[in-house]
Amino acid sequence: SESELSDMDFDIDSGAEVQSIAMFATAASKGTSPAKRARQDQVRRRRNQAYKSQVRTFTKKFMAACEIYDQDPSPENRSAMESALGVVYGIVDKCESKGVLHKNTANRRKAKVGRQYSQRTQPGVAIMAFSSESELSDMDFDIDSGAEVQSIAMFATAASKGTSPAKRARQDQVRRRRNQAYKSQVRTFTKKFMAACEIYDQDPSPENRSAM
């Protein structure tokens, strides 16, 4: 009917013929009528618009909570900001699971709000993630110049993997020390090999060659 055509949100004079042909071909391939297919598309479009509207709404609420925290960085305001961040993550993940947002788009949205959070709580992240000043010194970066960048990357990675920034920092610390131990072993045994080579140069005996 004419009312169904008006609900399809396209210009009849310019694009109706092309859209109707494509719609009919798609509907025929799936065994549905063009009218039913149009109604289904309309329902999906409105559902997707509602989900995207929720993402924008809760992102604005999170930014409002960030502004309140900037004015008064109290524990209550920080808790409200973290709660708003969790809601944004939840609705973005739901949109990704429903196919409303592409995976990369969802990751960008979460990273964007995650940066806003970590920029405001960077000192708190550092205190929460490391129990002593010596652990901070083991990170091999300039606190004044590199802490903000490292905290942002740490929070974004932890959020994407479902772990807290503190736990993620401890895991990274363990991996870093393990890697340093392996590299130290490489240097140690390389020095031992070079020492054996020098001994063989002085006395090229079968025993020294076997040791080398």
Side-chain angles (χ1 to χ4, degrees), residues 32-101:
T32 57
S33 66
K36 182 177 180 179
R37 188 64 184 171
R39 292 193 299 270
Q40 291 174 340
D41 291 340
Q42 185 75 2
V43 170
R44 294 189 184 100
R45 182 164 53 250
R46 289 175 178 172
R47 182 202 65 183
N48 294 345
Q49 289 175 349
Y51 277 127
K52 291 179 180 179
S53 177
Q54 285 185 341
V55 172
R56 291 191 296 270
T57 299
F58 289 112
T59 301
K60 290 178 181 178
K61 289 184 178 180
F62 167 73
M63 294 306 300
C66 289
E67 293 178 358
I68 295 174
Y69 181 78
D70 290 338
Q71 298 173 1
D72 180 15
S74 63
E76 293 79 9
N77 291 336
R78 177 169 179 171
S79 178
M81 182 175 61
E82 291 174 349
S83 299
L85 178 65
V87 173
V88 174
Y89 279 165
I91 188 64
V92 171
D93 289 337
K94 187 173 183 179
C95 289
E96 179 186 350
S97 65
K98 295 288 186 180
V100 179
L101 294 178

Side-chain angles (χ1 to χ4, degrees), residues 49-210:
Q49 289 175 349
Y51 277 127
K52 291 179 180 179
S53 177
Q54 285 185 341
V55 172
R56 291 191 296 270
T57 299
F58 289 112
T59 301
K60 290 178 181 178
K61 289 184 178 180
F62 167 73
M63 294 306 300
C66 289
E67 293 178 358
I68 295 174
Y69 181 78
D70 290 338
Q71 298 173 1
D72 180 15
S74 63
E76 293 79 9
N77 291 336
R78 177 169 179 171
S79 178
M81 182 175 61
E82 291 174 349
S83 299
L85 178 65
V87 173
V88 174
Y89 279 165
I91 188 64
V92 171
D93 289 337
K94 187 173 183 179
C95 289
E96 179 186 350
S97 65
K98 295 288 186 180
V100 179
L101 294 178
H102 189 270
K103 180 180 179 180
N104 295 341
T105 303
N107 290 336
R108 286 197 303 272
R109 297 287 179 87
K110 290 191 289 187
K112 184 177 180 180
V113 294
R115 284 194 298 270
Q116 294 295 329
Y117 174 84
S118 59
Q119 286 172 359
R120 290 166 171 82
T121 60
Q122 178 267 321
V125 170
I127 294 172
M128 178 174 57
F130 306 99
S131 59
S132 66
E133 188 175 355
S134 61
E135 288 182 333
L136 283 173
S137 62
D138 291 337
M139 293 183 66
D140 297 328
F141 68 91
D142 184 7
I143 295 178
D144 294 332
S145 62
E148 182 176 355
V149 177
Q150 178 138 348
S151 64
I152 292 172
M154 178 182 66
F155 186 87
T157 305
S160 64
K161 295 190 176 183
T163 57
S164 66
K167 182 177 180 180
R168 187 65 184 170
R170 291 192 297 270
Q171 291 173 343
D172 291 341
Q173 186 77 358
V174 171
R175 294 188 187 99
R176 184 163 49 250
R177 289 176 177 172
R178 181 200 61 190
N179 295 341
Q180 289 175 351
Y182 280 130
K183 292 178 180 179
S184 177
Q185 286 183 343
V186 171
R187 291 191 297 268
T188 299
F189 288 112
T190 301
K191 290 179 181 179
K192 289 183 179 181
F193 168 73
M194 296 305 298
C197 289
E198 292 178 358
I199 294 174
Y200 180 77
D201 290 339
Q202 297 174 3
D203 181 16
S205 63
E207 294 79 7
N208 291 336
R209 179 170 182 173
S210 177

